[in-house]
Short mmCIF file of all heavy atoms in Angstrom, two decimals:
data_model
loop_
_atom_site.label_atom_id
_atom_site.label_comp_id
_atom_site.label_asym_id
_atom_site.label_seq_id
_atom_site.Cartn_x
_atom_site.Cartn_y
_atom_site.Cartn_z
N GLU K 204 112.04 81.71 76.42
CA GLU K 204 112.85 80.49 76.58
C GLU K 204 112.74 79.95 78.00
O GLU K 204 112.64 78.74 78.22
CB GLU K 204 114.31 80.77 76.23
CG GLU K 204 114.56 81.07 74.76
CD GLU K 204 114.17 82.50 74.38
OE1 GLU K 204 113.92 83.33 75.28
OE2 GLU K 204 114.09 82.77 73.16
N ALA K 205 112.78 80.87 78.97
CA ALA K 205 112.66 80.45 80.37
C ALA K 205 111.32 79.78 80.63
O ALA K 205 111.23 78.79 81.37
CB ALA K 205 112.84 81.65 81.28
N LEU K 206 110.26 80.31 80.01
CA LEU K 206 108.93 79.71 80.20
C LEU K 206 108.90 78.28 79.68
O LEU K 206 108.27 77.40 80.28
CB LEU K 206 107.88 80.56 79.48
CG LEU K 206 106.43 80.12 79.66
CD1 LEU K 206 106.00 80.21 81.12
CD2 LEU K 206 105.50 80.96 78.79
N LEU K 207 109.61 78.01 78.60
CA LEU K 207 109.66 76.64 78.06
C LEU K 207 110.51 75.72 78.93
O LEU K 207 110.16 74.57 79.15
CB LEU K 207 110.24 76.67 76.64
CG LEU K 207 109.35 77.26 75.55
CD1 LEU K 207 110.13 77.39 74.24
CD2 LEU K 207 108.10 76.41 75.34
N GLN K 208 111.62 76.25 79.46
CA GLN K 208 112.58 75.42 80.18
C GLN K 208 112.27 75.30 81.67
O GLN K 208 112.53 74.26 82.28
CB GLN K 208 113.98 75.99 80.00
CG GLN K 208 114.46 75.97 78.55
CD GLN K 208 115.69 76.83 78.33
OE1 GLN K 208 116.28 77.36 79.27
NE2 GLN K 208 116.09 76.98 77.06
N ARG K 209 111.73 76.36 82.27
CA ARG K 209 111.48 76.37 83.71
C ARG K 209 110.06 76.89 83.97
O ARG K 209 109.86 77.88 84.68
CB ARG K 209 112.51 77.27 84.42
CG ARG K 209 113.92 76.71 84.41
CD ARG K 209 114.90 77.63 85.08
NE ARG K 209 115.09 78.86 84.31
CZ ARG K 209 115.93 78.96 83.27
NH1 ARG K 209 116.65 77.92 82.92
NH2 ARG K 209 116.05 80.09 82.61
N ARG K 210 109.12 76.25 83.36
CA ARG K 210 107.74 76.72 83.36
C ARG K 210 107.21 76.99 84.77
O ARG K 210 106.61 78.04 85.04
CB ARG K 210 106.85 75.70 82.64
CG ARG K 210 105.40 76.12 82.53
CD ARG K 210 104.61 75.22 81.60
NE ARG K 210 103.23 75.65 81.55
CZ ARG K 210 102.80 76.69 80.83
NH1 ARG K 210 103.65 77.38 80.13
NH2 ARG K 210 101.52 77.04 80.84
N SER K 211 107.42 76.08 85.68
CA SER K 211 106.90 76.22 87.04
C SER K 211 107.50 77.43 87.74
O SER K 211 106.79 78.21 88.39
CB SER K 211 107.17 74.94 87.83
OG SER K 211 106.62 75.05 89.13
N ASP K 212 108.82 77.61 87.63
CA ASP K 212 109.50 78.75 88.28
C ASP K 212 109.00 80.08 87.73
O ASP K 212 108.77 81.03 88.48
CB ASP K 212 111.02 78.67 88.06
CG ASP K 212 111.67 77.57 88.88
OD1 ASP K 212 110.99 77.05 89.80
OD2 ASP K 212 112.84 77.25 88.62
N VAL K 213 108.86 80.15 86.41
CA VAL K 213 108.41 81.39 85.78
C VAL K 213 106.99 81.73 86.22
O VAL K 213 106.70 82.87 86.61
CB VAL K 213 108.50 81.29 84.24
CG1 VAL K 213 107.84 82.51 83.58
CG2 VAL K 213 109.95 81.16 83.79
N LEU K 214 106.09 80.75 86.18
CA LEU K 214 104.71 81.00 86.58
C LEU K 214 104.62 81.38 88.05
O LEU K 214 103.84 82.26 88.42
CB LEU K 214 103.84 79.78 86.28
CG LEU K 214 103.68 79.44 84.79
CD1 LEU K 214 102.81 78.20 84.63
CD2 LEU K 214 103.08 80.61 84.01
N ASP K 215 105.42 80.74 88.91
CA ASP K 215 105.43 81.08 90.34
C ASP K 215 105.89 82.52 90.55
O ASP K 215 105.35 83.23 91.41
CB ASP K 215 106.36 80.13 91.11
CG ASP K 215 105.73 78.78 91.36
OD1 ASP K 215 104.51 78.64 91.14
OD2 ASP K 215 106.45 77.85 91.77
N PHE K 216 106.89 82.94 89.79
CA PHE K 216 107.41 84.31 89.91
C PHE K 216 106.30 85.32 89.62
O PHE K 216 106.08 86.27 90.38
CB PHE K 216 108.59 84.50 88.96
CG PHE K 216 109.15 85.89 88.96
CD1 PHE K 216 109.99 86.32 89.98
CD2 PHE K 216 108.87 86.77 87.93
CE1 PHE K 216 110.51 87.60 89.99
CE2 PHE K 216 109.39 88.06 87.92
CZ PHE K 216 110.22 88.48 88.95
N TYR K 217 105.57 85.11 88.54
CA TYR K 217 104.51 86.05 88.17
C TYR K 217 103.26 85.89 89.03
O TYR K 217 102.52 86.86 89.24
CB TYR K 217 104.20 85.96 86.68
CG TYR K 217 105.35 86.52 85.87
CD1 TYR K 217 106.29 85.69 85.27
CD2 TYR K 217 105.53 87.89 85.77
CE1 TYR K 217 107.37 86.21 84.58
CE2 TYR K 217 106.61 88.42 85.08
CZ TYR K 217 107.52 87.58 84.49
OH TYR K 217 108.60 88.09 83.82
N ASN K 218 103.02 84.69 89.55
CA ASN K 218 101.94 84.52 90.52
C ASN K 218 102.20 85.38 91.75
O ASN K 218 101.29 86.02 92.29
CB ASN K 218 101.80 83.06 90.94
CG ASN K 218 101.20 82.18 89.84
OD1 ASN K 218 100.55 82.67 88.92
ND2 ASN K 218 101.43 80.88 89.94
N GLY K 219 103.47 85.40 92.19
CA GLY K 219 103.84 86.23 93.34
C GLY K 219 103.66 87.71 93.06
O GLY K 219 103.13 88.46 93.90
N LEU K 220 104.09 88.14 91.87
CA LEU K 220 103.89 89.55 91.49
C LEU K 220 102.40 89.89 91.44
O LEU K 220 101.98 90.97 91.86
CB LEU K 220 104.53 89.83 90.13
CG LEU K 220 106.05 89.87 90.04
CD1 LEU K 220 106.46 90.25 88.62
CD2 LEU K 220 106.64 90.87 91.03
N ARG K 221 101.60 88.95 90.92
CA ARG K 221 100.16 89.19 90.80
C ARG K 221 99.54 89.39 92.18
O ARG K 221 98.69 90.28 92.36
CB ARG K 221 99.50 88.03 90.04
CG ARG K 221 98.11 88.37 89.49
CD ARG K 221 97.54 87.23 88.64
NE ARG K 221 98.37 86.94 87.49
CZ ARG K 221 99.13 85.85 87.36
NH1 ARG K 221 99.13 84.92 88.31
NH2 ARG K 221 99.87 85.67 86.28
N HIS K 222 99.96 88.59 93.15
CA HIS K 222 99.44 88.75 94.51
C HIS K 222 99.78 90.13 95.06
O HIS K 222 98.92 90.82 95.63
CB HIS K 222 100.05 87.68 95.43
CG HIS K 222 99.58 86.30 95.14
ND1 HIS K 222 100.22 85.17 95.63
CD2 HIS K 222 98.55 85.84 94.39
CE1 HIS K 222 99.59 84.10 95.21
NE2 HIS K 222 98.58 84.48 94.45
N ASP K 223 101.05 90.54 94.89
CA ASP K 223 101.48 91.85 95.41
C ASP K 223 100.74 92.99 94.72
O ASP K 223 100.31 93.95 95.36
CB ASP K 223 102.99 92.03 95.19
CG ASP K 223 103.82 91.08 96.04
OD1 ASP K 223 103.28 90.54 97.02
OD2 ASP K 223 105.01 90.89 95.71
N MET K 224 100.58 92.89 93.41
CA MET K 224 99.95 93.97 92.66
C MET K 224 98.44 94.03 92.90
O MET K 224 97.85 95.10 92.80
CB MET K 224 100.26 93.82 91.16
CG MET K 224 101.73 94.06 90.85
SD MET K 224 102.14 93.85 89.09
CE MET K 224 103.92 94.19 89.14
#
Side-chain angles (χ1 to χ4, degrees):
E204 292 78 12
L206 184 63
L207 288 173
Q208 297 166 6
R209 291 178 292 277
R210 182 170 179 79
S211 182
D212 287 347
V213 172
L214 295 179
D215 282 348
F216 177 78
Y217 290 100
N218 287 340
L220 288 184
R221 198 175 299 108
H222 291 165
D223 293 342
M224 292 179 181

